Amino acid sequence: MDVLKELSRVLEERKSQDPQKSYVASLYTKGLDAILKKIGEEATETVMAAKDGNPDKIVYEIADLWFHCLVLLAHQGLCADQVMAELQRRFGLSGLEEKASRGSKTGQG
């Protein structure tokens, strides 16, 4: 958890850095669509790694995916602590109960 907090702090700092010198700052400058595209790419690479069954590659790709999700959170003014709080809220609920509660809250199922 400490690494998520530290990474979140660094990602916030990158918002004010030169996009020519920081990959994350360049993503922020390109905007939401570029960040979402990276998340899509990383999610696909994660799926492919899982299909290949290589544990090291799976961990590597999930780290990339999580990193880019953290970039998205920072871009949207959110943080990893909020996601952790949501996971904590769900802890102890069955997956079916949690999914059913989402449908009533968001109008989705």
Side-chain angles (χ1 to χ4, degrees):
M1 178 79 158
D2 289 339
V3 72
L4 289 179
K5 286 184 180 187
E6 182 64 17
L7 185 52
S8 293
R9 184 191 62 74
V10 169
L11 293 175
E12 278 299 318
E13 289 176 0
R14 296 293 189 264
K15 287 181 176 181
S16 62
Q17 295 198 349
D18 182 350
Q20 300 294 323
K21 296 181 180 178
S22 165
Y23 168 72
V24 172
S26 74
L27 281 177
Y28 290 144
T29 299
K30 291 175 188 173
L32 182 61
D33 286 345
I35 295 167
L36 296 175
K37 182 179 178 185
K38 280 305 296 181
I39 290 173
E41 290 171 7
E42 298 304 341
T44 299
E45 290 171 8
T46 298
V47 169
M48 291 169 35
K51 293 287 266 179
D52 290 344
N54 180 329
D56 291 336
K57 186 71 171 167
I58 294 167
V59 168
Y60 181 88
E61 295 301 343
I62 289 177
D64 281 351
L65 178 59
W66 286 11
F67 175 83
H68 287 91
C69 288
L70 290 169
V71 170
L72 172 63
L73 286 171
H75 183 267
Q76 299 292 84
L78 302 168
C79 67
D81 285 345
Q82 290 169 280
V83 176
M84 299 305 288
E86 175 60 15
L87 289 172
Q88 182 65 42
R89 182 192 69 77
R90 294 180 188 184
F91 198 80
L93 288 177
S94 80
L96 295 176
E97 288 173 326
E98 196 285 322
K99 187 173 181 176
S101 75
R102 278 188 275 154
S104 64
K105 289 180 186 174
T106 64
Q108 299 173 350

